[in-house]
Amino acid sequence: MVREGWPPLNDFLSIGTALSGATEALSKVSDSPRLDAELLLARAIDIPRSYLFAHAEEELDRAGVERFQNTLKLRIDGLPMAYIAGEKEFWSMTLMVSPATLVPRPETEILVNLVLQEIPRATKCRVLDLGTGCGAIALAIAKERPECDVVATDVSEDALAIARQNARQLSIPNIEFLLGDWIEPVKSDSFDLIATNPPYVPDNDPDLEKLRHEPRNALVSGNDGLDAIRLIAADAASIIKAGGKLFMEHGDTQQDAVEAILGKARWSGIAVHKDMAGFPRVTVASR
Ligand code: SAM
Ligand code: GLN
């Protein structure tokens, strides 16, 4: 067990000891405790991670130990590494994230891939990303298909500010970011493709405890988690061009419910796609 206030500020502490103690402490909250410990220590003492491996015996100075202790405490409290680092890799891009944005998940790259398969290179089309967060889906599509115009919306002004900064930082010009409730900011527009990773966690899901540092509004959507999906399935129909497609991420037990919702809203050609773990994750429907 690691004591409160570990690592100690007074004792001699080597890089190797700091890493093994932190790894043990992090194993309760992280799937990659050693990697997290290395990344946190490298940040705290401002050296590349690779430096740690050849310098296990080196003593840490007090300021370094203090910085390490502070971030370690946050991580042990469940704060995602992405919020500590302020960034997350998605679709080979380094995206800025903040506690106002969901941390983009690798599963969402499945949705991006499905959308890109629908857009031959060098064709023009209009694509909408509903609930863009840090901009992950919109940025990936706009980057891969520079001829397309992408519109991305979110109800969170703080999330949109991060998304806009990401577009600027990555020099991706073909995205417009709009503030508002789902399709509200684009209701007189029309799109060839609509992509969305809406909140879909039921409001009593026990996993929410682990996700407590992420915005609730990005995760939770009513009793069964399907409120946003119901709204989007109904409203997206009015802004999709004839022959257009809707790509929707959802929970791994929601595929039947999502299919029924889309069918009721008169979408056709409904097909579900699995993620890398083999779980149903994205449903595609046509108009
Ligand atoms: N697309 C991003 C991603 O995959 O990383 C973020 C997805 S997150 C699951 C859902 C997003 O929907 C959040 O950014 C949240 O702010 C946004 N959102 C929640 N309610 C909304 C609403 N009523 N209208 C528009 N966006 C909303
Ligand atoms: N996939 C996320 C999770 O449970 C949920 C994201 C969402 O609600 N869209 O970790």
Side-chain angles (χ1 to χ4, degrees):
M1 259 306 267
V2 166
R3 304 184 302 280
E4 176 67 18
W6 190 93
L9 291 178
N10 301 322
D11 310 356
F12 169 92
L13 189 68
S14 70
I15 286 180
T17 319
L19 285 179
S20 50
T23 303
E24 189 203 325
L26 288 167
S27 59
K28 288 170 216 85
V29 294
S30 173
D31 295 333
S32 52
R34 176 77 191 187
L35 176 64
D36 290 6
E38 288 168 3
L39 292 169
L40 291 175
L41 184 56
R43 279 184 78 76
I45 61 174
D46 196 23
I47 45 94
R49 186 176 142 235
S50 56
Y51 180 93
L52 301 171
F53 310 131
H55 298 85
E57 303 305 320
E58 193 171 299
E59 185 178 1
L60 294 167
D61 65 24
R62 189 189 163 99
V65 175
E66 219 164 77
R67 281 193 299 273
F68 186 45
Q69 195 180 68
N70 290 338
T71 50
L72 189 59
K73 221 182 283 164
L74 295 174
R75 184 70 189 108
I76 291 170
D77 183 44
L79 192 70
M81 284 299 288
Y83 290 156
I84 295 171
E87 60 185 41
K88 176 76 183 174
E89 287 288 309
F90 182 83
W91 202 263
S92 305
M93 301 176 290
T94 302
L95 300 183
M96 194 184 305
V97 295
S98 84
T101 71
L102 185 93
V103 176
R105 307 289 203 264
E107 304 89 277
T108 303
E109 294 189 357
I110 306 285
L111 182 149
V112 169
N113 205 25
L114 289 165
V115 174
L116 291 176
Q117 283 172 23
E118 282 300 314
I119 317 174
R121 284 183 190 279
T123 50
K124 285 190 182 305
C125 77
R126 286 185 69 70
V127 183
L128 174 64
D129 172 16
L130 288 170
T132 197
C134 72
I137 297 170
L139 289 160
I141 295 169
K143 178 181 172 219
E144 298 292 340
R145 295 294 183 270
E147 318 284 330
C148 293
D149 292 319
V150 179
V151 177
T153 72
D154 207 287
V155 77
S156 160
E157 207 153 345
D158 292 343
L160 279 185
I162 298 281
R164 286 197 183 97
Q165 241 171 302
N166 278 324
R168 220 173 301 131
Q169 185 72 31
L170 294 159
S171 304
I172 298 176
N174 49 326
I175 311 187
E176 189 184 3
F177 293 100
L178 299 173
L179 180 68
D181 188 18
W182 298 127
I183 73 150
E184 188 58 29
V186 288
K187 62 175 188 264
S188 46
D189 205 338
S190 65
F191 298 90
D192 300 286
L193 303 173
I194 300 177
T196 185
N197 172 18
Y200 53 69
V201 180
D203 60 13
N204 60 355
D205 191 318
D207 281 351
L208 284 170
E209 169 58 17
K210 274 186 274 164
L211 305 173
R212 67 187 178 284
H213 293 283
E214 292 183 272
R216 198 174 159 85
N217 195 30
L219 292 164
V220 174
S221 199
N223 275 336
D224 58 1
L226 293 164
D227 284 3
I229 287 180
R230 272 187 284 268
L231 263 174
I232 293 169
D235 291 354
S238 65
I239 52 164
I240 192 97
K241 294 182 185 174
K245 285 190 176 178
L246 172 65
F247 300 76
M248 201 177 273
E249 182 174 321
H250 50 75
D252 56 11
T253 59
Q254 293 173 329
Q255 75 275 22
D256 293 343
V258 169
E259 186 177 342
I261 289 166
L262 288 166
K264 199 169 153 209
R266 293 187 294 109
W267 291 87
S268 57
I270 299 167
V272 65
H273 297 263
K274 293 184 175 163
D275 61 23
M276 344 17 140
F279 295 119
R281 181 65 58 194
V282 179
T283 291
V284 184
S286 308
R287 203 70 194 177

